């Protein structure tokens, strides 16, 4: 698969090898071991047909194995959307069980349909890690992990997605209400709001 590594509007095309795991999410019908902690985040992008998925990647601090969380939860039959009434974003609220410790967001990506092919957009250089901690028996909400496509033009002057601009914001007023509906098995878990400062990743300041 072709991967496009983008910085601002200028795509750099290369073949990239590497792997990441899609972390198994919490099942709403199953109890969760309280020796673990839970990271809670929305992964979202704009409502656009050409965007197939938006991803953030996390890993335990000091390790290299990345785990991918998806805006559309890897759906094969259309986009899953936890925010159908929100005209500004598509995506999912994700709850992941993790062993307690220090973690970091380490990368992001957009998967875009470009005519008859698909393009994977990532930053040209690995961004600075954004750290957070997980405590046992507690949900840690780290924010709405959003990616806005950046539009450029091809050689024919046609407007196309040429990059992405990630941003993290506090949407806890909506997301914590959705948490109780989507994950009824987490009703008795305390929630700590710890919005990650994502300014270091923001391309358009």
């Amino acid at each position: 698969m072709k991967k496009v590594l983008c910085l601002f509007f200028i795509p750099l095309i290369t073949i990239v090898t590497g792997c990441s795991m899609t972390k198994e999410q919490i099942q709403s019908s199953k109890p969760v071991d309280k020796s673990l902690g839970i990271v809670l985040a929305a992964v979202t992008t704009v409502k656009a047909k050409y965007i197939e998925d938006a991803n953030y990647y996390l890993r335990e601090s000091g390790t290299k194995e990345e785990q991918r969380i998806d805006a559309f939860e890897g759906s094969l039959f259309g986009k899953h959307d936890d925010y159908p009434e929100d005209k500004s974003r598509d995506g999912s609220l994700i709850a992941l069980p993790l062993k307690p410790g220090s973690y970091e967001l380490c990368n992001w990506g957009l998967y875009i349909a470009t005519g008859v092919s698909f393009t994977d957009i990532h930053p040209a250089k690995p961004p600075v890690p954004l750290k957070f901690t997980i405590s046992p028996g507690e949900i840690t909400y780290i924010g709405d992990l959003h990616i806005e496509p950046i539009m450029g033009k091809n050689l024919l002057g046609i407007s196309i997605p040429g990059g992405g601009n990630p941003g993290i914001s506090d949407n806890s007023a909506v997301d914590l209400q959705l948490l109780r509906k989507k994950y009824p098995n987490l009703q008795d878990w305390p929630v700590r709001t710890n919005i990650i400062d994502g300014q270091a990743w923001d391309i358009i300041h």
Side-chain angles (χ1 to χ4, degrees):
M1 179 187 297
K2 235 178 15 174
K3 285 199 174 185
V4 178
L5 307 185
C6 292
L7 182 62
F8 304 107
F9 294 96
I10 305 173
L12 172 65
I13 301 177
T14 186
I15 300 297
V16 177
T17 59
C19 62
S20 62
M21 299 171 57
T22 301
K23 180 70 176 177
E24 184 177 352
Q25 299 172 31
I26 289 172
Q27 303 298 314
S28 61
S29 60
K30 297 181 180 179
V32 182
D33 183 354
K34 287 198 172 182
S35 69
L36 301 174
I38 296 171
V39 60
L40 180 72
V43 184
T44 64
T45 185
V46 299
K47 291 184 182 295
K49 291 182 178 179
Y50 59 81
I51 297 180
E52 295 294 321
D53 209 350
N55 322 111
Y56 272 74
Y57 298 79
L58 62 87
R59 65 190 174 201
E60 189 174 3
S61 297
T63 68
K64 294 183 178 180
E65 183 180 329
E66 298 176 356
Q67 299 169 345
R68 189 182 75 244
I69 49 178
D70 304 309
F72 304 121
E73 301 183 314
S75 175
L76 298 176
F77 305 100
K79 297 178 181 178
H80 172 87
D81 182 16
D82 280 335
Y83 307 97
E85 297 179 359
D86 189 335
K87 303 303 181 184
S88 65
R89 62 177 182 161
D90 270 345
S92 299
L93 182 68
I94 306 297
L96 298 179
L98 298 171
K99 65 181 183 180
S102 177
Y103 290 82
E104 57 196 28
L105 296 177
C106 55
N107 213 333
W108 58 267
L110 276 176
Y111 190 49
I112 290 178
T114 51
V116 296
S117 62
F118 295 92
T119 299
D120 219 351
I121 296 177
H122 290 274
K125 295 181 180 180
V128 58
L130 305 177
K131 296 185 180 297
F132 62 96
T133 58
I134 294 295
S135 300
E138 181 179 78
I139 299 170
T140 301
Y141 173 71
I142 61 174
D144 176 8
L145 314 182
H146 189 78
I147 305 176
E148 195 85 12
I150 298 176
M151 304 304 291
K153 291 185 177 181
N154 64 14
L155 296 177
L156 300 177
I158 299 173
S159 182
I160 59 171
N165 188 39
I168 301 175
S169 62
D170 184 357
N171 197 46
S172 56
V174 172
D175 287 338
L176 295 188
Q177 288 188 23
L178 179 58
L179 166 69
R180 303 308 180 187
K181 296 178 181 178
K182 187 172 182 178
Y183 300 103
N185 54 332
L186 302 179
Q187 293 285 346
D188 62 339
W189 283 63
V191 179
R192 176 171 58 98
T193 298
N194 182 26
I195 307 302
I196 292 178
D197 183 356
Q199 186 174 2
W201 286 17
D202 191 356
I203 295 173
I204 304 175
H205 297 285

